[in-house]
Structure formats: structure tokens, C-alpha cells
Amino acid sequence: MARALATNATQGHVWEEFSSQTYKELPPAGMVRGLHNPVRANKPINFQPPGGGVGYYRVPTLAGIWATAPFFHNNGLGLYNSDPSVAGRMAAFNDAIEKLLWPEKRLGVQSVMRTTEDTELPLESGYRLKIRKDTPVKLIASINAPQLQLLRNDNFFSRFIGWLIGRGRLYDTLLRRNLAPDFVEDRGHTYADGLTDDEKRALIEYIKTF
Ligand code: HEM
């Protein structure tokens, strides 16, 4: 959902003059239910996207899609082999298209990006927020920044909040303030699910001709 929820072209944001009034007046898209919760796996996330432009997505063309795997706006689906040769692109395409059409081949919750070591995030105030190893990256990266105002000043209170976050204690709070709580990177869509294996194989050959 991340790209559909980008706020840059909404009212009051940096690219507001590049979007139409119609876009800015779009009503909220529907509720999204049952998203994977990386903090408490047994408590799926329900999320209501706000209106005002976000929540919608215009799909890019599939022309030349054989050459541009891995798929999805975040390159989250399929092998990323950094090999621009035709053979390399076909290898990446074959892996990605299999995962697109047979969703059970995706990595699922294993594709949730987490920090691989203890790190520090320097904030504007000079305070260095400690982030524990294994923290879901989007828990911090997709946070609603104005709602983290309390960390803007470097004082006893903000240090206490920062300490709690560093101990992994405020993850539920961070989750509630997340602007796009869709943590599974290779989720995308599962259209074509109803096709037989033979139909999917035929579809792959057809897609290669685009
Ligand atoms: C058999 C039917 C379909 C096939 C084979 C298919 C194929 C694909 C492929 C290959 C991509 C990746 C594009 C890229 O990374 O550049 C994609 C993305 C996408 N498709 Fe489909 N699609 C199908 C049906 C649909 C339908 C019916 C919709 C909408 C109602 C849809 C909406 C999207 C969207 C929104 C994305 C972007 C997802 C993202 O970037 O995260 N697709 N599709």
C-alpha cells in the first residue's frame, strides 16, 4: 500500500501544485483488513486509509515487463540479481512471474524488512534514537513524523520515550501511528489465482510478448 499512500501531492505537501483539485478531494478508500502484524503476529492490523488523495494507485503498463523484474513498486517480488543482460533479466522475470501467479511461492512474512543489527537514528534535536536489531524497518520509516514531536527536543522526557523505544516497549504505539502499515514487501496482488497451472503457463508466454 505504501505508494498509494504517499502524501507528497496532497494539500499542504511539497508537490501539492502538481495534483488536481479532484485528486485532493478523493474520498477515503475502503478499510483494509487482516494485514500482517510484525509486532504481534496474532493481532492482524485493520487500517483505514485517510482521504484527500491517498489510497489510490494508477498501474504502470505491462509493456516490456519481461525486462523489468523484480516486480511491484518496491521491487519486492522476485529475485533481484543486478544482472542487466537478457539472460539475467529473464532469470529475474521467471522468478517474479512465478511468484506473481503462484502466490504460495512468495516469501510472505519472511519478506518483512528488519534491521540486521542494533542501530541509531540521529534526530533533528541531536538525540540519537536507539533501534534494536530485528526492528521492522517500516515501523520507524513510515511513521507519521509530526506525531513524533515529543522526540523533537532533547530533554529528559524525550530521552525516556527514546529509551522505551530502544527497549522495544512502544512498538504498539508506533504501529498505531504508521501511515502505511503493510509490512509484507512481496504481497502485491493475487489476481490470476483462479487460473489452472496450464493457463498460467500460457499467460506467462503471452506476457513475454508485450
Ligand atoms: C491475470 C491478471 C493480471 C496479471 C498477469 C497482472 C500482472 C501484473 C504484474 C506483472 C505487475 C507488476 C508490474 C511491475 O512491477 O511493473 C502488476 C502490478 C499491479 N497490478 Fe496487476 N495483473 C493482473 C491483474 C490486475 C488487476 C485486475 C488489477 C486491478 C484491478 C491489477 C492491479 C495492479 C496494481 C495496482 C499493480 C501495482 C502493484 C505494486 O506496484 O505494488 N492487476 N500486475
Side-chain angles (χ1 to χ4, degrees), residues 75-87:
N75 282 350
L77 185 75
L79 172 76
Y80 186 51
N81 59 9
S82 309
D83 180 356
S85 70
V86 171

Side-chain angles (χ1 to χ4, degrees), residues 57 59-60 62 65 70-73 97 100-101 188-189 191-192 203 207:
Y57 189 90
V59 191
L62 294 183
I65 193 76
F71 293 159
F72 297 151
H73 67 281
I97 200 76
L100 184 89
L101 298 180
H189 73 54
Y191 294 118
L203 181 58
I207 290 173

Side-chain angles (χ1 to χ4, degrees), residues 170-190:
L170 288 181
Y171 283 3
D172 281 330
T173 312
L174 291 177
L175 203 53
R176 278 198 297 280
R177 283 162 175 68
N178 201 286
L179 292 173
D182 185 9
F183 289 84
V184 176
E185 297 287 334
D186 65 352
R187 195 170 58 84
H189 73 54
T190 55

Side-chain angles (χ1 to χ4, degrees), residues 127 129-130 158-169:
Y127 180 71
L129 182 65
K130 289 196 170 21
S158 61
R159 278 169 183 262
F160 178 61
I161 297 291
W163 179 80
L164 286 175
I165 293 175
R167 302 288 299 251
R169 301 295 283 277

Side-chain angles (χ1 to χ4, degrees), residues 6-181:
T7 51
N8 279 348
T10 57
Q11 190 79 45
H13 286 251
V14 63
W15 292 339
E16 65 174 341
E17 290 178 23
F18 292 86
S19 69
S20 66
Q21 198 56 35
T22 318
Y23 168 85
K24 294 188 185 76
E25 289 170 2
L26 282 170
M31 180 87 151
V32 185
R33 297 183 192 278
L35 294 169
H36 169 69
N37 184 332
V39 177
R40 286 176 209 284
N42 59 352
K43 218 176 150 202
I45 300 169
N46 296 332
F47 179 68
Q48 171 61 64
V54 300
Y56 302 85
Y57 189 90
R58 189 171 286 167
V59 191
T61 173
L62 294 183
I65 193 76
W66 68 268
T68 57
F71 293 159
F72 297 151
H73 67 281
N74 60 351
N75 282 350
L77 185 75
L79 172 76
Y80 186 51
N81 59 9
S82 309
D83 180 356
S85 70
V86 171
R89 286 171 194 264
M90 283 312 295
F93 169 79
N94 285 328
D95 186 61
I97 200 76
E98 292 254 330
K99 287 177 171 147
L100 184 89
L101 298 180
W102 285 270
E104 64 275 16
K105 297 185 182 178
R106 299 183 194 180
L107 300 176
V109 296
Q110 289 172 51
S111 72
V112 174
M113 282 199 291
R114 293 176 181 268
T115 52
T116 52
E117 53 192 273
D118 290 346
T119 45
E120 284 187 351
L121 181 66
L123 299 178
E124 216 176 320
S125 62
Y127 180 71
R128 301 178 75 83
L129 182 65
K130 289 196 170 21
I131 313 281
R132 280 200 315 186
K133 179 177 183 242
D134 278 339
T135 301
V137 172
K138 276 170 62 82
L139 199 58
I140 309 291
S142 299
I143 200 73
N144 190 350
Q147 293 207 26
L148 272 190
Q149 289 281 12
L150 62 167
L151 288 175
R152 181 155 282 186
N153 302 312
D154 187 4
N155 54 31
F156 175 77
F157 181 63
S158 61
R159 278 169 183 262
F160 178 61
I161 297 291
W163 179 80
L164 286 175
I165 293 175
R167 302 288 299 251
R169 301 295 283 277
L170 288 181
Y171 283 3
D172 281 330
T173 312
L174 291 177
L175 203 53
R176 278 198 297 280
R177 283 162 175 68
N178 201 286
L179 292 173

